[in-house]
Amino acid sequence: MSHSVGIVTAQRATFETPLVFRSGAVLPRYELVYETYGTLNSDRSNAILICHALSGHHHVAGFYADAPKSLGWWDNMVGPGKPIDTDNFFVVGMNNLGGCHGSTGPSSVDPETGKPYGSSFPVITVEDWVESQARLADYLGIDCFAAVIGGSLGGMQALQWSLACPDRVRHVLAIASAPRLTAQNIAFNDVARNAILTDPDFHGGDYYQHNVVPTRGLRLARMLGHITYLSDDAMADKFGRELKSGQYNYGYEVEFQIESYLRYQGDKFAGLFDANTYLLMTKALDYFDPAQDCGGDLNSAFAKARADFLVISFTTDWRFSPQRSREIIRPLLHNGRNVSYAEITSTHGHDSFLMEHPHYFDVVRAYLDNVSREVSA
Amino acid sequence: MSHSVGIVTAQRATFETPLVFRSGAVLPRYELVYETYGTLNSDRSNAILICHALSGHHHVAGFYADAPKSLGWWDNMVGPGKPIDTDNFFVVGMNNLGGCHGSTGPSSVDPETGKPYGSSFPVITVEDWVESQARLADYLGIDCFAAVIGGSLGGMQALQWSLACPDRVRHVLAIASAPRLTAQNIAFNDVARNAILTDPDFHGGDYYQHNVVPTRGLRLARMLGHITYLSDDAMADKFGRELKSGQYNYGYEVEFQIESYLRYQGDKFAGLFDANTYLLMTKALDYFDPAQDCGGDLNSAFAKARADFLVISFTTDWRFSPQRSREIIRPLLHNGRNVSYAEITSTHGHDSFLMEHPHYFDVVRAYLDNVSREVSA
């Protein structure tokens, strides 16, 4: 447990000011769960916000006292002496609104009805998340983040911070991300969503009242997702055509190890995650497009940004390829922002952003070491 | 209708000799539907077999008298004066065993039970198909095909002809194909299969007796398939982020045109195709591996081949990329085969093999013109 932030405790903040979603929907009251690591300095200038991706949450680093194996999802990256160094920074992780790990979401009980929100929980966007995250920053007394950091969908939130709150973030780290989804990205999301939406146990999103869970659909969605997280090469290296029983059995049970892996991942996820949250997350991905109000022009969209940027991509990531990171960089350079970019050679596809990799970690560490020199101790 | 083979009629052949599948299963009796175009020459040396891919069938070219719009699936390729020129060749199309277009398959009535085969229809392999196709050749009096041609899964059958019946095929055209699936290929198939297998209307494959069809699962499988048939670029060009109603509606109905397209394709397919056949086709893809009995060594596997080969790939095909075609070529060259190879620049991904493209069609035409000079008129 060296270099660990050690035992951590999730905290909860309640917000009584109604949140008006981009869709026009209103959430009168909501709660966000979050964790913090490190110490906020006297002028409150050393805070870093970690934005999570599709299946992430507030438990970024450390472990819970009653569960020593409950390591945070980015524990390799966040801790004392780690690239996001909690000796220098006060790091905030939160569960996004609409999530299923403690923040108000579709599976939470709506105090107005006494029943889970279910289908009545509003469709949420990256913009709405950033608004809710800014309120959490207010709550914590943080006027301006030293950095907002995220991978994949988390990177989109980090980018949105630079657009919605240009004076409240000095550095944005967008890792394995994209400025907006392509048709192919949306297509994969739509298949995943349709798997859930057409599951007979979905009940229009109100399955909680039926005491069932659309496990079949969520399982398929996760299996499909996993294919897009791994590179073709990584799958070939790890599984190839290896058979589970060493021979063909000519049936529909697991034949190949890759099938065993995917089905296991799907089953595990379907037993833990909320299907409505999965739907919301994929919609937030689809909808994010900073250029939508600028006639599709990203150069205009990013004119508002004031932060400095570190953009990182991974060579074998085909979900959000290096090309997609360059689509982030071009409008930033066009607008005269300071942009650092690293294209990391990695065999692990999109999942690379979660994995320990010397070059990747050195880049993040070096960038944040410079940031730490800007903030007082 | 110029250059069309014109009105065609499907024909039916019955085989009473039991077919022993690679799995050990036995089909005592079966029927194959097929069509032929052009005229078999006097020494029966000008026959070409067209092998179909996942959702294809025997109706390759021309149209039916009662349905002028019922064009064959490769009508742009096959006809008088077309690249596969029916003025020179006697072209045979067939519906594969296990199919759902007239040949004996899971939806056919098993004469022993009086009920559809359903789950009792054996899992079939590319090797079994080639065996059944060789019997059709016997039936038609064709000792040796001038060429066996196929795209995608059809290309695998063409390759298998060169291995199982090396003296019965002089040329093999393997288009947009691969020598065997990768882990990623298998993974996509397994997600598609699981969508069908876990559909409550699947009933273990015996849904016919329940008067239901696993439409949800088959629809998802087809939607997913379509993503892998199109290139990222083609999707971006054709659909991009275009919205169906011009604005975000913040719900789970169709928002983006790509969603509309995919759902339409899924619905259409699910209303026409048999889910059990879909399962069989994907398993045949997974299982095909000529090197399985050679310790994984394709060089050894292709030592049996005697044919000449034309291999064609398409630059934006990511289902079976040009790299996969080179995996076919290497063992052929290793064994001293004559191999022509064309990598066609096309934006249309895997679907390119079905589309009219000047360079692609010129290559096929030129190759088969040479073949036609080998056969007597």
Side-chain angles (χ1 to χ4, degrees):
Chain A
M1 288 298 172
S2 70
H3 300 299
S4 170
V5 300
I7 293 171
V8 297
T9 312
Q11 299 170 76
R12 178 174 299 273
T14 302
F15 299 86
E16 305 278 0
T17 309
L19 186 72
V20 181
F21 287 61
R22 203 175 161 210
S23 67
V26 178
L27 198 62
R29 178 190 177 281
Y30 58 94
E31 297 180 326
L32 295 177
V33 291
Y34 66 97
E35 292 179 10
T36 69
Y37 323 108
T39 307
L40 191 60
N41 61 5
S42 54
D43 63 358
R44 297 170 175 272
S45 64
N46 72 332
I48 286 180
L49 177 67
I50 307 290
C51 301
H52 69 74
L54 209 150
S55 61
H57 43 65
H58 55 290
H59 184 39
V60 176
F63 56 95
Y64 297 132
D66 58 354
K69 288 186 177 170
S70 61
L71 277 189
W73 59 267
W74 224 6
D75 190 77
N76 55 9
M77 181 68 95
V78 177
K82 290 182 181 175
I84 301 176
D85 191 343
T86 51
D87 289 337
N88 297 326
F89 294 105
F90 176 70
V91 178
V92 181
M94 59 170 293
N95 185 215
N96 277 358
L97 195 60
C100 55
H101 289 90
S103 291
T104 301
S107 57
S108 308
V109 171
D110 179 353
E112 289 185 20
T113 65
K115 289 188 291 192
Y117 286 95
S119 61
S120 74
F121 196 90
V123 169
I124 197 162
T125 65
V126 169
E127 291 87 338
D128 302 324
W129 278 331
V130 169
E131 171 64 19
S132 70
Q133 290 161 0
R135 292 187 183 187
L136 181 66
D138 295 341
Y139 175 91
L140 295 171
I142 298 162
D143 282 340
C144 182
F145 281 109
V148 178
I149 302 176
S152 192
L153 175 56
M156 291 176 168
Q157 296 161 57
L159 292 175
Q160 177 61 19
W161 263 90
S162 74
L163 303 179
C165 311
D167 302 323
R168 300 193 68 177
V169 54
R170 290 196 300 279
H171 296 272
V172 164
L173 278 68
I175 305 168
S177 194
R180 53 191 170 196
L181 296 196
T182 62
Q184 190 192 66
N185 296 145
I186 295 169
F188 278 119
N189 281 346
D190 197 47
V191 175
R193 273 193 300 270
N194 271 274
I196 294 169
L197 294 169
T198 63
D199 186 323
D201 287 335
F202 182 64
H203 294 288
D206 295 315
Y207 44 88
Y208 315 101
Q209 279 117 283
H210 293 79
N211 292 315
V212 290
V213 175
T215 314
R216 286 172 293 235
L218 189 54
R219 174 177 179 268
L220 289 170
R222 183 62 166 185
M223 288 172 74
L224 178 54
H226 254 283
I227 301 178
T228 70
Y229 304 153
L230 301 181
S231 71
D232 192 8
D233 285 351
M235 267 200 191
D237 288 349
K238 192 169 174 184
F239 304 105
R241 295 182 53 83
E242 201 184 326
L243 295 164
K244 187 154 188 229
S245 70
Q247 59 175 27
Y248 289 170
N249 295 305
Y250 302 103
Y252 298 117
E253 298 302 309
V254 166
E255 288 280 37
F256 294 91
Q257 290 292 6
I258 179 63
E259 297 175 303
S260 177
Y261 171 80
L262 276 188
R263 295 183 192 192
Y264 172 79
Q265 294 292 340
D267 287 336
K268 192 173 74 166
F269 189 75
L272 293 172
F273 207 80
D274 181 61
N276 278 318
T277 291
Y278 200 89
L279 293 175
L280 290 176
M281 293 279 169
T282 63
K283 285 304 265 189
L285 276 162
D286 286 8
Y287 285 136
F288 185 61
D289 182 4
Q292 212 213 356
D293 298 330
C294 306
D297 180 28
L298 286 168
N299 287 346
S300 306
F302 278 98
K304 282 177 274 187
R306 291 289 164 267
D308 293 343
F309 291 80
L310 171 61
V311 178
I312 297 176
S313 70
F314 300 93
T315 48
T316 55
D317 183 352
W318 64 278
R319 182 179 177 91
F320 294 145
S321 72
Q323 159 66 17
R324 313 306 314 283
S325 280
R326 289 192 285 271
E327 291 171 21
I328 297 172
I329 293 166
R330 275 193 296 268
L332 293 173
L333 292 178
H334 175 85
N335 286 292
R337 305 320 316 149
N338 290 322
V339 184
S340 302
Y341 175 56
E343 187 173 312
I344 308 289
T345 301
S346 163
T347 58
H348 294 289
H350 190 61
D351 264 355
S352 300
F353 89 86
L354 294 167
M355 298 169 80
E356 198 157 340
H357 180 294
H359 182 192
Y360 168 36
F361 274 38
D362 285 349
V363 166
V364 174
R365 184 191 307 274
Y367 191 90
L368 291 179
D369 278 354
N370 281 333
V371 175
S372 76
R373 286 187 204 106
E374 298 171 5
V375 304
S376 45
Chain B
M1 289 299 171
S2 72
H3 300 299
S4 169
V5 300
I7 293 172
V8 298
T9 311
Q11 298 171 77
R12 179 174 297 274
T14 301
F15 299 85
E16 305 277 1
T17 310
L19 187 71
V20 181
F21 287 62
R22 202 176 163 211
S23 66
V26 179
L27 198 62
R29 178 189 177 282
Y30 59 94
E31 297 181 326
L32 295 177
V33 291
Y34 65 97
E35 293 180 8
T36 69
Y37 323 108
T39 308
L40 192 59
N41 62 4
S42 55
D43 62 359
R44 300 171 174 267
S45 64
N46 71 332
I48 285 180
L49 177 68
I50 308 287
C51 301
H52 68 75
L54 207 150
S55 60
H57 43 66
H58 56 290
H59 183 39
V60 176
F63 56 95
Y64 297 132
D66 57 355
K69 290 185 176 171
S70 62
L71 278 190
W73 59 267
W74 224 5
D75 190 77
N76 54 11
M77 181 67 94
V78 177
K82 291 183 181 174
I84 301 175
D85 190 343
T86 52
D87 288 339
N88 297 326
F89 294 104
F90 176 70
V91 178
V92 181
M94 60 171 294
N95 184 216
N96 278 358
L97 195 59
C100 55
H101 289 89
S103 290
T104 301
S107 57
S108 308
V109 171
D110 179 354
E112 289 186 20
T113 66
K115 291 188 288 192
Y117 286 95
S119 62
S120 73
F121 197 90
V123 169
I124 197 163
T125 65
V126 169
E127 290 87 336
D128 301 324
W129 279 331
V130 169
E131 172 64 20
S132 71
Q133 290 161 358
R135 291 186 183 187
L136 180 66
D138 294 341
Y139 174 91
L140 296 170
I142 299 162
D143 283 340
C144 184
F145 282 109
V148 178
I149 302 176
S152 191
L153 175 57
M156 290 176 169
Q157 294 161 58
L159 292 176
Q160 177 61 20
W161 264 91
S162 75
L163 303 179
C165 312
D167 302 323
R168 300 193 71 176
V169 53
R170 290 195 300 280
H171 296 272
V172 164
L173 278 68
I175 305 168
S177 194
R180 54 190 170 196
L181 295 196
T182 61
Q184 190 191 65
N185 296 145
I186 295 169
F188 277 120
N189 281 346
D190 197 48
V191 175
R193 274 193 300 269
N194 271 272
I196 295 168
L197 295 170
T198 63
D199 186 323
D201 287 336
F202 182 65
H203 294 289
D206 294 315
Y207 44 88
Y208 316 100
Q209 278 117 283
H210 293 79
N211 292 313
V212 290
V213 176
T215 314
R216 287 173 292 235
L218 189 54
R219 174 177 179 268
L220 289 170
R222 185 59 166 185
M223 289 173 73
L224 177 55
H226 254 282
I227 301 178
T228 69
Y229 303 153
L230 302 180
S231 71
D232 192 7
D233 284 351
M235 269 199 188
D237 289 348
K238 192 168 175 184
F239 303 105
R241 294 182 54 82
E242 202 183 326
L243 295 164
K244 186 152 189 231
S245 71
Q247 59 175 29
Y248 289 171
N249 295 304
Y250 303 102
Y252 298 117
E253 297 302 309
V254 166
E255 288 279 37
F256 295 90
Q257 291 291 8
I258 179 64
E259 296 175 303
S260 178
Y261 171 81
L262 275 188
R263 294 183 193 193
Y264 171 78
Q265 294 292 342
D267 287 336
K268 192 174 74 167
F269 189 75
L272 294 171
F273 207 82
D274 181 61
N276 278 319
T277 291
Y278 200 89
L279 292 175
L280 290 176
M281 292 280 170
T282 63
K283 285 304 267 188
L285 275 162
D286 286 7
Y287 285 135
F288 185 61
D289 181 3
Q292 211 213 358
D293 298 330
C294 306
D297 180 29
L298 285 168
N299 286 347
S300 306
F302 278 98
K304 282 177 274 187
R306 292 288 165 268
D308 293 343
F309 290 80
L310 172 61
V311 178
I312 296 176
S313 69
F314 301 92
T315 49
T316 56
D317 182 353
W318 64 277
R319 184 179 174 91
F320 294 144
S321 71
Q323 160 66 17
R324 314 305 312 284
S325 279
R326 289 192 285 271
E327 291 170 20
I328 296 172
I329 293 166
R330 274 194 294 270
L332 293 173
L333 292 178
H334 175 86
N335 286 292
R337 304 322 313 151
N338 290 321
V339 185
S340 302
Y341 174 57
E343 189 173 310
I344 307 290
T345 301
S346 163
T347 58
H348 294 288
H350 190 61
D351 264 357
S352 301
F353 88 87
L354 294 166
M355 299 170 79
E356 198 156 339
H357 180 294
H359 183 193
Y360 167 37
F361 275 39
D362 284 351
V363 166
V364 174
R365 185 191 307 274
Y367 191 91
L368 291 179
D369 277 355
N370 280 334
V371 174
S372 77
R373 285 187 204 105
E374 298 170 4
V375 302
S376 44

